[in-house]
């Protein structure tokens, strides 16, 4: 059943929204406080079923009693409801409902309580009912505070539990919902479990978070406070103050000034009022409004109170917002009241009984907003419209109570479709026990289309209409429906407002602010104040590399590693990826230099190959020369692996290629140096060294040295190979992508091994620089190895003092410089001799140089 009801509501969500959007205005002439101060709503209505027609004159006779306005309007609502049921042929056919009440039942609580006590002593339970002649099941409909309701219910249970059903209208009280202690008591009002959520949703909609609260100091107030505090904690709304208004008048009067000062000194602009109309909270509310306290009051529609007898209006920035249970409008009430014989009401008389409602759109042609209407002509302006009397919540509860009783009676009486009661002149005798059982399970759709369920546990969450209330002079009250709360609205948007209705009512759609502290905008975070509520805080800028892109955040959010915070620290900007690329000037320059040197080396190789038979080429071991030039070409091309977006493959190739190729080059230079030394240092007795020279044993130096370097590189790759390193911390706003060496020790082992070979070549060449010979390369090798060692010794400190692409550029420059040193010092003189001094590249010149040296020696 609950699922079906829920489905019904979900399918009708568009209707709910449409009903909210339809503009509806209400107005009423408030009761005169001097003549009708603190009206008591304590009448006891008795409803029973009879098997005879009930004419409308019956209601006129019953209602022709001098009683207070507040009580008369409930009697009129009850009469209208019963008359509507009696005229319905499908509900209780051949059976009519009638009711009665006495002026004695509507006295003040103290008088009424005394009369009950006297009646108990005289065994006269109800002043207007003869218990001895009671043969029917009667429904007692009451509206008293919970203590008097308990007393009255106790009387019914102890003396005539089999003859009465007890239904209450007015405020819901949790004590009365205890079915074990009050099994035959029914509360027509719904529990306000959703009211706190509705009010908090309303507060959040206008971006408020600092509110005051004034509630009655009783069980209802405390329960509402617990609901409200729970919702406020969830949504970060705080109390500026909480005033628990005592029920005792003497105690209240002793603290009234304290409560007043609390509101006046508080920084909040919004105050929630919750309590019963008959309690001291209502008197407090009336006094605060009369004193002209400029606040936004948020309350329930039951606390609809005129401020005072004097003319008074609110400013456009402040006013009263009231929450009332949502229900459809009941038409025909005004016509019913006006057709009662004993009542001849005009519109001006009727508005003192009940709210009148009309279509707000009809007023827009004459009065765009209420503030533009002259207060002296407000009544005349309203009287030109066509009105209908509107049911307030309590009247609507009476309406549903009567229909619930009728449906339960119908279900009990007509168990079968054809089992109609026969009018045999006997009294209709219905067992209250059966009615109790049937009423507890009763659920129906009333004539205006609203679902009614008598089982509190199965009731759906309540919906609330939100009204804005103005109090004009002449006691005129004006109420505009500006919005609606429903937990069934889609997309989690629980409140919907009509901005046009707010502007029509207030003259502006803007609302005053009500916050403890100004919002911390994006780029800031909240820093709580010691000893203050969570809504009171300081705003502190987010730390570096953290942002906040919302208001009032507790913590700033760290930007991802690939992003950084902008100057306002409200947005993470993607970091610029930095690496030595071919597109930038430095990359283009280094790659161009690399290609140029490799091209020059290739040209040199071509020149050497073309003149391979000349003495200068033959004298320096042509094979070693070819190997050295080819290895230098690769040395010059090696920097191209360092340029571009690094990836794991290029990172490995960079270091391995560099280590192996340079080892080949330096070991070749070492082999050439050893060849020179062997050629000029051996004697006839040194046969072994002569054999090594003749057999080309120095050529084995290259593969042996290279093999050792390969083994070192293999160990490097096995232990900790080079990999891509993403450095997002070194430079603000940049992500530096470089190749991480992996094992730094292995890298320095490679460099150390190259340094050892170079130093060995430098040492041998230095000692062989003065040896005789026309084409002795010892001096060239000495200078080339000196440059090589100088470059790489300088490289180490410079390399460690730089980062990012500059560090890569330093390594490339060192590679190019050391390679260029070998190319320049070893091969530039040869090429110069071959190309520009061919006369010195001949055997005759060699013999002349040798003879001149021998003559000198």
């Amino acid at each position: 059943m609950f699922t079906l009801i829920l489905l019904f509501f979900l399918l009708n969500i568009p209707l709910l929204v449409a009903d909210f959007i339809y503009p509806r205005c209400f107005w009423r002439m408030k009761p005169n406080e001097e003549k009708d101060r603190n009206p008591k709503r304590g009448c006891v209505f008795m409803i029973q079923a009879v098997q005879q027609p009930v004419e409308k004159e019956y209601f006129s006779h019953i209602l022709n009693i001098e009683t207070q306005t507040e009580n008369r309007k409930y009697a009129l609502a009850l009469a209208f409801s019963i008359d509507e049921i009696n005229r319905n042929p499908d509900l209780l056919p051949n059976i009519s409902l009638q009711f009665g009440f006495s002026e004695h039942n509507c006295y003040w609580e103290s008088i009424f309580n005394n009369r009950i006590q006297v009646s108990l002593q005289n065994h006269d339970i109800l002043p207007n009912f003869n218990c001895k002649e009671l043969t029917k099941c009667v429904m007692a409909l009451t509206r008293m505070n919970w203590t008097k309701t308990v007393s009255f219910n106790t009387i019914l249970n102890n003396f005539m539990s089999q003859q009465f059903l007890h239904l209450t209208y007015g405020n819901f009280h949790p004590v009365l919902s205890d079915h074990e202690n009050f099994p035959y008591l029914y509360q027509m009002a719904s529990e306000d479990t959703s009211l706190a959520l509705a009010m908090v949703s309303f507060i959040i909609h206008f971006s408020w978070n600092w509110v005051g609260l004034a509630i009655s100091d009783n069980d209802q107030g405390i329960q509402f406070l617990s609901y409200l505090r729970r919702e406020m904690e969830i949504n970060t709304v705080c109390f500026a103050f909480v005033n628990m208004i005592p029920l005792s008048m003497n105690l209240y009067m002793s603290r009234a000034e304290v409560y007043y000062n609390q509101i006046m000194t508080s920084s909040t602009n919004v105050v929630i009022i919750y309590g019963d109309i008959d309690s001291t909270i209502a008197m407090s509310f009336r006094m605060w409004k009369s004193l002209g306290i400029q606040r936004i009051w948020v309350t329930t529609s039951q606390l609809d109170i005129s401020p005072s007898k004097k003319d008074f209006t609110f400013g456009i920035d402040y006013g009263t917002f009231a929450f009332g249970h949502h229900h459809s409008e009941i038409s025909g009430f005004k016509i019913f009241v006006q057709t009662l014989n004993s009542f001849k009401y005009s519109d001006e008389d009727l508005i003192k009984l009940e709210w009148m409602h009309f279509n707000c759109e009809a007023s827009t042609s004459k009065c765009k907003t209420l503030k533009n209407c002259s207060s002296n002509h407000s009544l005349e302006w309203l009287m030109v419209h066509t009105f209908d009397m509107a049911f307030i919540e309590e009247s609507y509860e009476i309406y549903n109570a009567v229909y619930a009783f009728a449906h339960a009676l119908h279900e009990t009486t007509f168990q079968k479709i054809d089992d109609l009661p026969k009018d045999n002149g006997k009294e209709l005798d219905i067992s209250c026990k059966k009615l109790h059982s049937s009423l507890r399970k009763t659920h129906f759709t009333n004539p205006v289309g609203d679902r009614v369920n008598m089982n509190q546990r199965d009731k759906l969450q309540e919906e609330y209409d939100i009204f804005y209330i103005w109090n004009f002079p002449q006691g005129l009250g004006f109420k505009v429906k500006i919005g609606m709360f429903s937990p069934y609205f889609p997309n989690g948007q629980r409140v919907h407002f009509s901005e046009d209705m707010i502007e029509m009512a207030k003259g502006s759609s803007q609302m005053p602010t009500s916050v403890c502290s100004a919002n911390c905008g994006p780029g800031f975070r909240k820093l709580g104040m010691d000893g203050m509520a969570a809504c009171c805080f300081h705003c502190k800028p987010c730390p570096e590399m953290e942002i906040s892109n919302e208001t009032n955040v507790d913590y700033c959010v760290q930007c991802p590693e690939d992003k950084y915070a902008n100057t306002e620290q409200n947005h993470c900007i993607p970091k610029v990826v930095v690496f030595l690329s071919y597109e930038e000037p430095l990359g283009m320059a280094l790659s161009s230099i690399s290609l140029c040197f490799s091209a020059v080396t290739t040209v040199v190789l071509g020149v050497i190959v073309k003149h391979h038979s000349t003495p200068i080429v033959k004298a320096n071991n042509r094979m070693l020369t070819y190997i050295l030039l080819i290895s230098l070409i690769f040395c010059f091309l090696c920097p191209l692996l360092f340029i571009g977006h690094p990836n794991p493959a290029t990172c490995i190739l960079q270091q391995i290629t560099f280590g192996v190729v340079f080892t080949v080059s330096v070991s070749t230079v070492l082999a050439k140096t050893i060849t020179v030394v062997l050629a000029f240092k051996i004697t006839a007795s040194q046969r072994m060294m002569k054999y090594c020279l003749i057999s080309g044993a120095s050529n084995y130096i290259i593969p042996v040295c290279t093999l050792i370097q390969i083994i070192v590189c293999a160990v490097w790759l096995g232990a900790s190979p080079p990999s891509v390193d993403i450095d997002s911390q070194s430079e603000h706003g940049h992500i530096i992508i470089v190749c991480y060496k992996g094992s730094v020790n292995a890298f320095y082992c490679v460099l150390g091994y190259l340094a050892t070979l170079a130093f060995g070549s430098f040492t041998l060449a230095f000692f062989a620089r003065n040896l005789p010979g026309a084409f002795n390369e010892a001096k060239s090798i000495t200078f080339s190895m000196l440059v090589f060692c100088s470059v790489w010794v300088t490289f180490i400190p410079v390399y460690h003092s730089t980062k990012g692409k500059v560090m890569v550029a330093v390594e490339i420059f060192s590679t190019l410089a050391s390679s260029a040193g070998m190319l320049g010092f070893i091969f530039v003189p040869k090429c110069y001799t071959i190309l520009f001094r061919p006369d010195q590249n001949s055997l005759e010149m060699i013999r002349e140089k040798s003879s001149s040296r021998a003559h000198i020696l």
Side-chain angles (χ1 to χ4, degrees):
M1 181 58 66
F2 177 81
T3 304
L4 293 176
I5 295 173
L6 179 60
L7 180 62
F8 170 82
F9 273 96
L10 293 176
L11 292 177
N12 285 277
I13 283 176
L15 301 178
L16 296 176
V17 177
D19 181 67
F20 145 66
I21 295 174
Y22 182 78
R24 189 176 302 152
C25 295
F26 304 80
W27 66 297
R28 182 179 83 174
M29 187 71 72
K30 302 293 183 68
N32 190 324
E33 293 185 10
E34 294 181 350
K35 297 180 180 180
D36 195 14
R37 184 175 299 277
N38 193 18
K40 179 64 199 157
R41 308 180 188 182
C43 291
V44 178
F45 300 105
M46 295 297 171
I47 305 171
Q48 57 185 349
V50 294
Q51 287 184 283
Q52 60 185 17
V54 176
E55 302 297 335
K56 188 172 292 186
E57 288 75 10
Y58 168 81
F59 301 114
S60 301
H61 173 71
I62 292 295
L63 296 175
N64 193 15
I65 298 174
E66 290 297 330
T67 186
Q68 296 170 336
T69 301
E70 288 292 312
N71 296 319
R72 180 175 293 171
K73 73 177 181 181
Y74 296 131
L76 288 171
L78 179 60
F80 171 79
S81 306
I82 290 178
D83 181 66
E84 191 174 79
I85 292 174
N86 290 342
R87 290 186 287 106
N88 186 349
D90 298 324
L91 187 61
L92 294 177
N94 299 327
I95 298 176
S96 299
L97 297 181
Q98 63 183 17
F99 79 99
F101 77 105
S102 167
E103 183 181 3
H104 303 297
N105 297 63
C106 303
Y107 281 159
W108 301 80
E109 283 192 8
S110 58
I111 300 176
F112 181 65
N113 186 53
N114 292 335
R115 292 185 62 83
I116 289 179
Q117 299 298 329
V118 173
S119 299
L120 285 174
Q121 294 174 2
N122 299 332
H123 302 285
D124 182 15
I125 305 304
L126 296 173
N128 66 326
F129 202 84
N130 188 346
C131 301
K132 297 179 181 179
E133 299 178 0
L134 181 62
T135 57
K136 310 178 187 67
C137 183
V138 178
M139 180 181 77
L141 187 60
T142 67
R143 196 255 186 249
M144 296 178 283
N145 63 33
W146 75 273
T147 55
K148 296 302 178 283
T149 301
V150 170
S151 300
F152 185 79
N153 190 76
T154 302
I155 295 173
L156 295 180
N157 288 341
N158 292 339
F159 293 93
M160 24 186 188
S161 61
Q162 301 301 318
Q163 297 173 324
F164 275 90
L165 296 175
H166 186 193
L167 279 73
T168 67
Y169 63 98
N171 286 346
F172 179 91
H173 202 285
V175 173
L176 303 179
S177 63
D178 187 353
H179 296 306
E180 293 184 2
N181 296 326
F182 308 101
Y184 304 123
L185 177 65
Y186 301 87
Q187 297 188 83
M188 295 307 300
S190 298
E191 187 175 5
D192 285 328
T193 54
S194 298
L195 180 60
L197 177 59
M199 287 186 172
V200 171
S201 300
F202 170 80
I203 289 169
I204 294 173
H205 178 81
F206 293 107
S207 301
W208 299 330
N209 64 9
W210 190 239
V211 299
L213 176 66
I215 58 174
S216 297
D217 190 6
N218 56 12
D219 291 343
Q220 286 176 284
I222 294 173
Q223 187 178 59
F224 175 74
L225 175 60
S226 66
Y227 291 151
L228 189 64
R229 178 172 281 120
R230 179 184 62 192
E231 296 297 336
M232 290 174 67
E233 288 177 354
I234 294 174
N235 296 279
T236 318
V237 181
C238 306
F239 287 120
F241 62 85
V242 177
N243 283 340
M244 305 286 290
I245 309 299
L247 299 181
S248 170
M249 182 59 68
N250 293 332
L251 186 58
Y252 164 73
M253 293 305 297
S254 66
R255 301 178 182 175
E257 186 175 357
V258 176
Y259 301 140
Y260 172 79
N261 292 334
Q262 181 73 68
I263 296 176
M264 294 301 297
T265 58
S266 175
S267 59
T268 181
N269 286 321
V270 179
V271 179
I272 299 175
I273 308 293
Y274 182 80
D276 190 70
I277 187 63
D278 300 323
S279 64
T280 51
I281 188 70
M283 186 175 68
S284 300
F285 190 23
R286 183 182 293 108
M287 181 190 70
W288 296 333
K289 293 175 71 175
S290 299
L291 293 174
I293 300 178
Q294 297 293 294
R295 295 292 185 274
I296 294 175
W297 307 100
V298 181
T299 184
T300 60
S301 59
Q302 294 173 347
L303 286 176
D304 168 33
I305 302 170
S306 58
S308 67
K309 61 183 179 181
K310 65 180 180 180
D311 290 352
F312 179 80
T313 58
F314 285 111
I316 62 172
D317 289 335
Y318 299 93
T320 302
F321 291 91
F323 285 74
H325 289 282
H326 174 74
H327 61 80
S328 303
E329 293 300 333
I330 299 175
S331 60
F333 185 35
K334 175 182 174 182
I335 298 174
F336 170 80
V337 175
Q338 288 180 325
T339 56
L340 293 177
N341 290 340
S342 58
F343 292 92
K344 298 299 180 183
Y345 285 124
S346 65
D347 280 348
E348 193 167 353
D349 295 324
L350 290 175
I351 60 176
K352 297 180 181 179
L353 290 175
E354 191 64 280
W355 282 100
M356 309 292 287
H357 71 86
F358 65 98
N359 188 350
C360 301
E361 291 178 345
S363 66
T364 56
S365 59
K366 293 187 177 182
C367 190
K368 295 294 182 182
T369 61
L370 286 180
K371 71 172 184 176
N372 294 330
C373 295
S374 171
S375 61
N376 295 329
H377 299 88
S378 55
L379 182 60
E380 292 80 356
W381 169 71
L382 289 171
M383 290 302 295
V384 300
H385 297 92
T386 302
F387 304 98
D388 197 0
M389 296 181 70
F391 267 37
I392 62 171
E393 288 184 42
E394 291 168 325
S395 298
Y396 189 70
E397 290 166 7
I398 293 175
Y399 184 80
N400 285 334
V402 176
Y403 266 94
F405 176 72
H407 278 277
L409 185 61
H410 185 96
E411 180 69 21
T412 305
T413 305
F414 306 107
Q415 296 291 341
K416 297 180 181 179
I417 298 178
D418 297 329
D419 187 13
L420 298 177
K422 298 179 180 180
D423 190 2
N424 54 9
K426 295 183 180 180
E427 295 287 344
L428 182 64
D429 192 2
I430 302 297
S431 169
C432 269
K433 187 174 182 180
K434 290 183 179 180
L435 270 180
H436 275 302
S437 176
S438 178
L439 187 61
R440 182 71 66 188
K441 298 180 292 184
T442 297
H443 55 86
F444 59 94
T445 302
N446 64 17
V448 294
D450 293 340
R451 291 289 301 174
V452 180
N453 194 334
M454 294 302 292
N455 191 340
Q456 286 283 349
R457 296 177 180 177
D458 295 337
K459 285 187 177 181
L460 300 176
Q461 287 184 281
E462 288 297 319
E463 300 170 320
Y464 293 91
D465 292 328
I466 304 173
F467 302 97
Y468 184 77
I469 300 176
W470 275 71
N471 291 291
F472 281 95
Q474 308 173 24
L476 179 67
F478 191 84
K479 181 169 66 174
V480 180
K481 181 179 177 180
I482 62 169
M484 180 178 174
F485 166 84
S486 174
Y488 307 109
F489 282 144
N491 302 324
Q493 189 71 24
R494 296 187 177 95
V495 290
H496 286 274
F497 288 93
S498 171
E499 299 297 333
D500 294 338
M501 287 296 98
I502 295 177
E503 187 169 358
M504 183 264 182
K506 294 181 78 279
S508 172
S509 60
Q510 299 297 320
M511 287 287 185
T513 60
S514 185
V515 295
C516 180
S517 301
N519 289 334
C520 293
F524 293 84
R525 65 181 179 91
K526 296 191 300 182
L527 184 63
M529 298 181 182
D530 293 337
M532 297 293 290
C535 301
C536 304
F537 45 80
H538 298 295
C539 294
K540 186 177 181 181
C542 289
E544 188 178 358
M545 296 303 295
E546 294 184 8
I547 66 158
S548 64
N549 53 11
E550 298 179 357
T551 57
N552 296 335
V553 297
D554 295 316
Y555 302 98
C556 297
V557 179
Q558 181 79 32
C559 285
E561 288 191 359
D562 59 341
K563 296 182 180 180
Y564 69 100
N566 60 352
T567 306
E568 294 78 16
Q569 290 186 279
N570 58 5
H571 184 64
C572 288
I573 302 175
K575 290 182 178 180
V576 178
V577 178
V578 176
F579 58 89
L580 188 60
S581 64
Y582 291 102
E583 289 77 14
E584 61 180 300
L586 182 59
M588 293 177 63
L590 292 176
S591 59
S592 299
I593 294 172
S594 174
L595 292 174
C596 289
F597 272 115
S598 60
V600 169
T601 307
T602 305
V603 171
V604 171
L605 177 61
V607 171
I608 298 298
V609 171
K610 183 177 181 181
H611 300 85
H612 67 279
S613 59
T614 60
I616 196 171
V617 176
K618 291 180 178 180
N620 295 288
N621 195 330
R622 286 180 296 186
M623 185 59 62
L624 293 178
T625 300
Y626 295 154
I627 294 174
L628 179 58
L629 286 172
I630 293 172
S631 64
L632 284 176
I633 292 174
F634 285 104
C635 286
F636 283 121
L637 294 176
C638 182
L640 298 179
L641 294 173
F642 291 79
I643 303 175
H645 195 292
N647 58 67
T650 57
C651 288
I652 293 175
L653 287 175
Q654 284 177 10
Q655 307 305 324
I656 302 305
T657 304
F658 165 77
V660 172
V661 171
F662 265 81
T663 300
V664 173
S665 299
V666 178
S667 61
T668 302
V669 173
L670 178 62
K672 290 173 72 69
T673 306
I674 292 174
T675 301
V676 172
V677 172
L678 290 177
F680 290 96
K681 288 292 184 180
I682 61 174
T683 61
S685 61
Q686 294 175 323
R687 295 181 180 180
M688 181 59 67
M689 295 182 66
K690 187 176 182 179
Y691 174 78
C692 292
L693 178 62
I694 296 173
S695 63
S698 59
N699 295 336
Y700 292 101
I701 294 175
I702 299 173
V704 171
C705 293
T706 303
L707 180 61
I708 295 173
Q709 187 71 289
I710 291 174
I711 293 173
V712 174
C713 292
V715 174
W716 184 3
L717 294 179
S720 179
S723 60
V724 179
D725 179 45
I726 300 176
D727 182 8
S728 59
Q729 306 298 328
S730 298
E731 292 186 20
H732 180 71
H734 295 83
I735 297 177
I736 302 173
I737 302 180
V738 294
C739 285
Y740 174 62
K741 305 301 181 187
S743 175
V744 179
N745 294 330
F747 173 68
Y748 285 115
C749 285
V750 171
L751 286 183
Y753 182 68
L754 288 175
T756 301
L757 295 179
F759 185 74
S761 299
F762 170 77
T763 302
L764 291 176
F766 179 79
F767 289 111
R769 71 186 185 280
N770 293 323
L771 293 177
F775 303 108
N776 185 3
E777 288 183 314
K779 291 182 180 181
S780 300
I781 293 174
T782 301
F783 283 108
S784 67
M785 290 298 99
L786 180 61
V787 171
F788 186 92
C789 293
S790 300
V791 167
W792 287 106
V793 168
T794 308
F795 162 80
I796 295 176
V798 175
Y799 182 81
H800 284 285
S801 63
T802 57
K803 292 181 180 180
K805 60 183 180 181
V806 178
M807 181 176 65
V808 178
V810 169
E811 191 169 357
I812 293 175
F813 177 80
S814 300
T815 302
L816 293 175
S818 57
S819 302
M822 288 188 287
L823 178 65
F825 285 104
I826 297 176
F827 293 102
V828 169
K830 294 185 186 326
C831 291
Y832 177 79
T833 301
I834 293 173
L835 297 176
F836 300 105
R837 301 295 297 273
D839 55 321
Q840 295 184 3
N841 190 16
S842 61
L843 292 175
E844 292 78 8
M845 179 59 65
I846 293 174
R847 292 192 184 98
E848 290 179 2
K849 287 184 177 180
S850 299
S851 62
S852 61
R853 285 188 178 183
H855 178 72
I856 294 172
L857 294 173

